[in-house]
Amino acid sequence: MCNECYSDNPRITPLLKGEQCLKNHTQYICPTCGRCICIDRDDKRGVYRWNFPFKTLEIAKLYLRTAEVVCNDVCGIYEITGKNNRISYKIFHDKKDLEKYLSKNKDKICKQMSPVYISKQYIENPNAGIRKLRDDEVKKYLQEQKDLCEI
């Protein structure tokens, strides 16, 4: 597992619409394994990709590093139960942010009120890249992603 971005697969992201995301969104480029993680902010909703709910803890872990970079601190992943007992995972900077979210979303609860996953410490890496990729980088990354999936 990459100590920097918490992934076993250095090309697993983006999960959906990879080419579109890599071409059009700002990416956090892990300086250890080179994995690109969408760190773009949706200006219409005022949120980052890591603010969205995730279906699994494993998927949430793939975006945890971007939250930590934006917050410049450790962040945690919390298990949220919504309508029909549907479970999702959300990343929050701290418990205060979780409580603020729950106060605005009365139909959701967090039974544990503590992270189900949190990194041990945040270490800023000056070698990390945050930028949009060039077309040649997108093409190379997608080919590497395809090659890893074939193994």
Side-chain angles (χ1 to χ4, degrees), residues 77-92:
I77 302 172
Y78 295 78
E79 185 178 277
I80 306 294
T81 305
K83 293 179 184 175
N84 300 322
N85 289 322
R86 191 174 129 213
I87 294 174
S88 63
Y89 297 85
K90 283 189 60 68
I91 300 169
F92 294 99

Side-chain angles (χ1 to χ4, degrees), residues 1-141:
M1 179 167 88
C2 178
N3 292 331
E4 179 86 19
C5 71
Y6 320 119
S7 176
D8 292 329
N9 182 337
R11 296 296 178 268
I12 194 165
T13 48
L15 298 174
L16 301 171
K17 300 179 185 175
E19 186 172 2
Q20 178 185 341
C21 182
L22 291 169
K23 282 185 176 181
N24 300 313
H25 297 164
T26 302
Q27 303 292 319
Y28 170 84
I29 305 163
C30 177
T32 302
C33 71
R35 182 166 71 95
C36 290
I37 313 165
C38 185
I39 196 168
D40 217 34
R41 184 176 173 96
D42 182 332
D43 290 328
K44 289 181 184 176
R45 293 183 251 180
V47 296
Y48 291 94
R49 172 67 184 104
W50 58 265
N51 289 125
F52 297 136
F54 297 97
K55 290 181 181 180
T56 68
L57 177 59
E58 290 73 27
I59 293 172
K61 283 181 186 179
L62 296 176
Y63 292 88
L64 180 60
R65 182 62 181 174
T66 58
E68 293 176 338
V69 168
V70 169
C71 295
N72 202 32
D73 195 8
V74 171
C75 293
I77 302 172
Y78 295 78
E79 185 178 277
I80 306 294
T81 305
K83 293 179 184 175
N84 300 322
N85 289 322
R86 191 174 129 213
I87 294 174
S88 63
Y89 297 85
K90 283 189 60 68
I91 300 169
F92 294 99
H93 178 220
D94 54 27
K95 190 174 179 179
K96 186 173 130 182
D97 287 347
L98 166 67
E99 290 169 347
K100 184 178 175 182
Y101 170 80
L102 293 173
S103 72
K104 291 180 179 180
N105 295 276
K106 302 289 185 191
D107 61 331
K108 303 206 181 340
I109 61 169
C110 181
K111 294 174 185 171
Q112 292 183 15
M113 292 303 289
S114 62
V116 292
Y117 182 85
I118 190 166
S119 59
K120 291 176 179 43
Q121 66 178 346
Y122 172 73
I123 299 172
E124 188 172 344
N125 191 326
N127 297 318
I130 298 177
R131 62 180 174 81
K132 289 193 176 180
L133 301 180
R134 297 183 316 266
D135 286 342
D136 62 311
E137 291 174 311
V138 171
K139 185 177 179 179
K140 181 180 181 210
Y141 189 92

